[in-house]
């Protein structure tokens, strides 16, 4: 697929103006200095930590949006396949920063829950919103079956890697707090993490080099998107069909195309992929884009530290539990970039890119971020393992199973999107009341 030409870079002032006016969400940037000031001036207590958490939570939302904006500017210069990888990678920057800070503070449960929650958010909320938003304009949207099957395999492997330590724990003869079992689980986790990192490296080679054409929009196994048929056209087709019934059967083979031929022709002619590519106009220069990425990353890192520090005080108040905060709230903030990017391009009939962002982000978290954090904890001397909360592991397994069923035909519609979003709401309601199983981490604490 030929890449769209990129126009000339704007001036520095035009780029700064684009950053300021990119979205009304930028109004929430005022929460950054407020959250910093509250963190340094207020003493840590249940009530004060709740206030700090709210402002830090709101402050990360516009930062995630700016991160998505800068990522899009870089993406238009590198091509669609690399653009999807770049969006997924930088879109996960918030989750990675939050996980590293929580790991350094030995908040192991928050690290695990936030990463599992990020996968759930991408697979159900982000992907569901993409299917639903695209379904408002298109009757059906298509994407690559081969790539979908590969993604399903990778997600399944990652879920198995999370389930095996839990199965090891429950089937072992040792007691829950036996230090020998804890040592074995850590050893298993470290070995599996290294293997997962190797799989992710192989996946990058497959995606970017050996099978790069599989990810092109014009690949033969991608179903063509079909738009809704206007009411006037439906009436004309109905009258035409009624008129064809009055024609003698003997003339049918010579004058009237068969239904299957007509349908096939309509799909080929109605395909929206024959449009001439227009020039893309960047809103920032490359140096300004890189500078914005660096500044936003620093602001996210500092604000995320205040956010993590305030979680304990927030959950100690008893109004909300730690599992809901780390599994639902934190991933929604961290995935704000993916939400905006993926939904926007799905409406433009670029569902392949949307899936590259949403599903690709989940694969990256499962095969790279989680094993990387486990390996980093190994280096830092933190007992972070792949022994996740059993209920979270089961929910993750069922989520991957549902997404595999929804995507296996290579087509999507608005109802499938609504199903995925509804399942996410069901999970959110469940975890609002779920207290967590703290006993499992008793032997794997700092």
């Amino acid at each position: 697929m030929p890449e769209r030409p990129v126009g000339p870079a704007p001036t520095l002032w035009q780029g700064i103006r684009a950053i300021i006016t990119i979205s009304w969400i930028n109004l929430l940037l005022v929460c950054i200095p407020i959250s910093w000031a509250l963190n340094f001036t207020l003493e840590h207590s249940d009530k004060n930590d709740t206030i700090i958490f709210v402002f830090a939570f709101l402050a990360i939302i516009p930062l995630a949006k700016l991160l998505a904006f800068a990522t899009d500017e870089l993406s238009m210069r590198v091509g669609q396949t690399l653009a999807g990888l770049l969006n997924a990678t930088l879109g996960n920057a918030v989750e990675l920063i939050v996980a590293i800070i929580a790991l350094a503070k030995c908040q192991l449960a928050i690290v695990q829950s936030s990463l599992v929650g990020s996968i759930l958010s991408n697979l159900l909320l982000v992907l569901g919103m993409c299917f639903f938003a695209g379904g408002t304009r298109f009757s059906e949207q298509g994407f690559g079956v081969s790539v979908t099957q590969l993604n399903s395999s990778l997600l399944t492997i990652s879920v198995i890697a999370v389930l095996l330590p839990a199965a090891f724990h429950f089937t072992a003869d040792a007691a829950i707090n036996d230090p020998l079992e804890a040592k074995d689980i850590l050893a298993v986790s470290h070995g599996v993490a290294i293997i997962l990192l190797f799989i992710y490296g192989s996946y990058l080679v497959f995606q970017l080099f050996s099978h790069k054409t599989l990810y092109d929009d014009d690949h033969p196994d991608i179903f063509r998107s079909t738009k809704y048929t206007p009411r006037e056209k439906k009436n004309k087709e109905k009258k035409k069909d009624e008129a064809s019934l009055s024609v003698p059967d003997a003339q049918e083979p010579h004058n009237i195309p068969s239904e299957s031929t007509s349908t096939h022709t309509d799909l080929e002619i109605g395909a929206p992929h024959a449009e001439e590519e227009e020039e893309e106009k960047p809103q920032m220069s490359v140096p300004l884009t890189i500078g914005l990425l660096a500044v936003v990353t620093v602001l996210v890192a500092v604000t995320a530290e205040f956010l993590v520090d305030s979680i304990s005080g927030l959950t100690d108040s008893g109004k909300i539990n730690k599992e809901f905060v780390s599994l639902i709230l934190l991933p929604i903030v961290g995935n704000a970039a993916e939400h905006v990017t993926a939904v926007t391009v799905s409406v433009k009939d670029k569902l392949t890119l949307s899936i590259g962002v949403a599903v690709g982000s989940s694969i990256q978290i499962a095969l790279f971020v989680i094993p990387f954090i486990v390996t980093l904890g190994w280096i830092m001397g933190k007992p972070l393992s792949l022994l996740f909360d059993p209920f979270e592991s089961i929910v993750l397994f069922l989520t991957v199973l549902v997404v595999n069923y929804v995507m296996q035909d290579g087509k999507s519609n608005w109802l499938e999107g609504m199903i995925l979003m509804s399942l996410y709401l069901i999970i959110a309601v469940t975890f609002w009341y779920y207290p967590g199983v703290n006993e499992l981490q008793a032997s794997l604490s700092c």
Side-chain angles (χ1 to χ4, degrees):
M1 176 183 175
E3 304 296 346
R4 296 179 63 180
V6 179
T11 62
L12 177 62
W13 168 245
Q14 289 175 331
I16 295 176
R17 182 180 178 183
I19 294 174
I20 297 174
T21 60
I22 185 62
S23 172
W24 62 268
I25 298 178
N26 281 348
L27 294 174
L28 294 176
L29 289 172
V30 70
C31 295
I32 298 177
I34 294 177
S35 64
W36 290 23
L38 292 174
N39 182 79
F40 290 119
T41 57
L42 296 179
E43 295 183 0
H44 285 280
S45 64
D46 294 351
K47 184 177 180 179
N48 292 341
D49 282 344
T50 301
I51 298 174
I52 295 173
F53 178 87
V54 170
F55 279 98
F57 183 90
L58 295 176
I60 291 182
I61 295 177
L63 292 176
K65 170 61 178 175
L66 290 176
L67 194 64
F69 175 53
T71 303
D72 290 340
E73 289 295 306
L74 283 182
S75 297
M76 72 172 60
R77 296 173 168 92
V78 297
Q80 178 150 314
T81 301
L82 193 56
L85 178 63
L86 188 62
N87 272 282
T89 303
L90 295 180
N92 287 331
V94 175
E95 291 96 325
L96 185 59
I97 292 172
V98 171
I100 292 176
I101 292 174
L103 177 63
K105 297 180 179 297
C106 221
Q107 299 277 1
L108 303 185
I110 293 178
V111 175
Q112 293 179 326
S113 297
S114 63
L115 294 178
V116 172
S118 183
I119 297 176
L120 298 178
S121 176
N122 277 301
L123 290 181
L124 297 179
L125 186 60
V126 179
L127 189 62
M129 290 177 67
C130 291
F131 286 173
F132 185 84
T136 59
R137 291 193 57 194
F138 297 89
S139 175
E140 285 185 331
Q141 287 184 291
F143 45 87
V145 178
S146 300
V147 174
T148 301
Q149 293 175 345
L150 175 64
N151 291 342
S152 299
S153 301
L154 292 173
L155 287 172
T156 303
I157 290 173
S158 63
V159 171
I160 291 174
V162 171
L163 290 177
L164 284 180
F168 179 89
H169 171 77
F170 285 110
T171 57
D173 294 331
I176 291 179
N177 294 325
D178 190 341
L180 292 178
E181 186 198 3
K183 183 179 179 181
D184 291 340
I185 290 177
L186 280 177
V188 170
S189 300
H190 297 157
V192 172
I194 294 174
I195 296 173
L196 291 179
L197 289 174
F198 173 76
I199 294 175
Y200 182 72
S202 303
Y203 166 64
L204 291 182
V205 174
F206 182 91
Q207 183 181 21
L208 299 178
F209 299 103
S210 67
H211 291 70
K212 184 178 180 180
T213 56
L214 280 179
Y215 296 85
D216 291 341
D217 271 348
D218 56 353
H219 195 272
D221 74 341
I222 297 180
F223 289 94
R224 297 180 183 273
S225 301
T226 55
K227 291 186 176 181
Y228 290 101
T229 304
R231 184 177 298 274
E232 296 80 5
K233 186 176 180 180
K234 286 183 178 180
N235 293 334
K236 289 181 180 179
E237 290 179 351
K238 184 177 181 181
K239 291 179 181 179
K240 185 178 179 181
D241 292 338
E242 292 175 351
S244 65
L245 294 176
S246 62
V247 179
D249 295 340
Q251 298 181 6
E252 183 176 352
H254 304 283
N255 300 327
I256 302 176
S258 64
E259 183 180 354
S260 60
T261 305
S262 174
T263 304
H264 177 73
T265 305
D266 289 342
L267 286 176
E268 295 295 327
I269 295 176
H273 294 277
E275 299 177 357
E276 184 179 354
E277 296 289 350
E278 298 180 355
E279 183 181 72
E280 287 188 302
K281 296 181 180 179
Q283 296 180 271
M284 293 188 298
S285 61
V286 174
L288 181 60
T289 302
I290 296 175
L292 178 62
L293 284 173
V295 172
V296 170
T297 301
V298 173
L299 292 176
V300 168
V302 177
T303 309
E305 183 176 2
F306 301 154
L307 185 71
V308 172
D309 286 339
S310 62
I311 290 178
S312 296
L314 173 68
T315 56
D316 289 343
S317 63
K319 298 179 180 178
I320 188 172
N321 61 60
K322 187 174 293 186
E323 281 68 26
F324 184 84
V325 172
S326 53
L327 196 95
I328 302 297
L329 295 184
L330 293 184
I332 288 178
V333 175
N335 289 333
E338 285 96 326
H339 285 195
V340 176
T341 302
V343 174
T344 301
V345 298
S346 68
V347 176
K348 299 177 182 178
D349 196 25
K350 295 182 179 179
L351 194 60
T352 301
L353 179 57
S354 295
I355 294 176
V357 174
V359 180
S361 179
S362 300
I363 292 174
Q364 190 174 74
I365 291 174
L367 295 180
F368 174 72
V369 177
I370 290 179
F372 172 76
I373 291 295
V374 170
T375 306
L376 183 62
W378 186 13
I379 297 173
M380 297 171 60
K382 308 292 184 181
L384 180 66
S385 70
L386 292 175
L387 179 60
F388 285 72
D389 184 288
F391 185 64
E392 294 177 4
S393 302
I394 293 173
V395 169
L396 180 60
F397 169 75
L398 296 177
T399 297
V400 171
L401 190 66
V402 170
V403 172
N404 287 347
Y405 277 123
V406 169
M407 297 181 62
Q408 66 181 354
D409 61 347
K411 296 180 290 184
S412 70
N413 52 63
W414 67 266
L415 180 60
E416 291 178 338
M418 189 186 69
I419 291 172
L420 295 180
M421 290 188 292
S422 299
L423 177 57
Y424 187 77
L425 291 178
I426 292 173
I427 293 174
V429 171
T430 303
F431 276 97
W432 176 265
Y433 297 99
Y434 180 64
V437 183
N438 298 323
E439 291 80 6
L440 293 178
Q441 303 295 337
S443 58
L444 292 171
S445 59
C446 297

